[in-house]
Amino acid sequence: NRHPTSSSRLNMAPKGELSAGLLEAYMARFDLSKSQVLAQKRAFDLLDQDGNGKITFEEVKAMNNSTDQPMSVEELRTEFSTLDVDGDCTVTFLEWLKVYVKGEFGRDVSIHIHDLDTVQVHDLDASAPRPRAHSELAPIDESVTVMKLSSKNSASYYVRVARQFLEGTEEKQAVEELAINALGHAIPLASAVAHALVEEKLAKVTSVMTGLQEIPGAGRHCPVLVVRVSKSSAS
């Protein structure tokens, strides 16, 4: 099978942009660099001619017919079926990245991650003013309680922990502010936890900070997301 971007016939012209949060979620989920994700997005956008976020066979066929040496319809259908992971006759960017990562690095990444979209921090609370977003991490006030997330635990687990922080227990007094800190694959969890806290009216999002943290000895950086919430007056 050909790689989605192996053909020199693909003109890597930019078409659309990913939100900062969603970009970092893709980077974390598929263990890709920013440049790798953006390169794949440009290739995807080239085929997504109507810009609806999904590639159809007709769009691939139209692009194929415009080349000097087009593939046969049978070859094209085989190529398309490789990309159409869920068999719904369309290819999403998630499916595209899954095939890219499998072909390029031999990693089989699950794409059952509906919470990816929630990483777009403006969707955390549609009724509230947009929180302040920062492109670089700033030192967190030491007086603010920090809850560090790991992909080893579920979002529901961290929601329970956050609830204990904000409501207090018999042993511990309630806190007024909480910083939800997530690294790499745990980033979607941070968004899900913040969303749940807002939905339960336990807290409101006051700021969202993103950045890259160097991984010692690995020679690369890992995306970091810090969602800061304050206790809701209703709670």
Side-chain angles (χ1 to χ4, degrees):
N1 291 331
R2 290 184 179 135
H3 185 278
T5 55
S6 61
S7 174
S8 60
R9 293 172 291 183
L10 288 179
N11 177 18
M12 302 295 283
K15 182 179 181 181
E17 294 184 0
L18 295 171
S19 69
L22 195 54
L23 172 61
E24 291 191 11
Y26 285 131
M27 291 166 59
R29 186 66 186 184
F30 293 94
D31 194 18
L32 297 172
S33 67
K34 178 179 179 179
S35 61
Q36 287 172 324
V37 174
L38 292 180
Q40 293 306 310
K41 183 62 166 60
R42 289 194 293 270
F44 179 88
D45 284 346
L46 184 66
L47 292 174
D48 180 20
Q49 297 179 358
D50 61 7
N52 70 347
K54 295 182 178 181
I55 298 173
T56 65
F57 179 74
E58 290 303 316
E59 287 175 318
V60 174
K61 186 177 178 181
M63 177 62 68
N64 180 62
N65 290 340
S66 68
T67 63
D68 294 332
Q69 296 180 326
M71 292 185 285
S72 67
V73 174
E74 183 178 350
E75 289 176 322
L76 203 61
R77 289 193 183 280
T78 300
E79 182 83 356
F80 186 81
S81 64
T82 301
L83 293 169
D84 183 16
V85 177
D86 62 5
D88 68 348
C89 298
T90 61
V91 178
T92 65
F93 189 51
L94 281 175
E95 291 174 301
W96 180 279
L97 284 181
K98 177 181 174 67
V99 175
Y100 164 66
V101 169
K102 179 68 174 178
E104 185 73 10
F105 307 106
R107 300 195 306 266
D108 192 6
V109 179
S110 171
I111 59 172
H112 298 292
I113 43 176
H114 304 296
D115 55 348
L116 263 180
D117 289 333
T118 64
V119 175
Q120 300 185 62
V121 298
H122 294 161
D123 294 334
L124 288 175
D125 183 3
S127 64
R130 291 183 175 183
R132 293 175 292 116
H134 306 272
S135 60
E136 295 183 358
L137 289 174
I140 297 177
D141 187 341
E142 293 183 359
S143 64
V144 177
T145 300
V146 177
M147 182 175 71
K148 294 185 178 181
L149 276 57
S150 166
S151 57
K152 295 179 181 178
N153 293 308
S154 65
S156 59
Y157 167 81
Y158 287 116
V159 170
R160 291 196 300 271
V161 174
R163 190 183 296 119
Q164 291 177 353
F165 276 124
L166 295 169
E167 294 182 335
T169 64
E170 293 182 358
E171 295 80 17
K172 294 184 179 181
Q173 186 177 357
V175 301
E176 294 298 320
E177 291 186 282
L178 182 65
I180 305 170
N181 189 318
L183 185 71
H185 293 289
I187 284 177
L189 289 176
S191 176
V193 171
H195 179 75
L197 295 176
V198 170
E199 285 291 305
E200 294 181 19
K201 302 187 184 303
L202 287 173
K204 60 181 180 181
V205 177
T206 57
S207 69
V208 177
M209 297 177 286
T210 61
L212 293 174
Q213 179 174 314
E214 185 176 1
I215 301 176
R220 64 186 182 89
H221 291 73
C222 189
V224 183
L225 176 69
V226 179
V227 182
R228 188 164 173 171
V229 300
S230 63
K231 189 175 181 180
S232 173
S233 58
S235 62

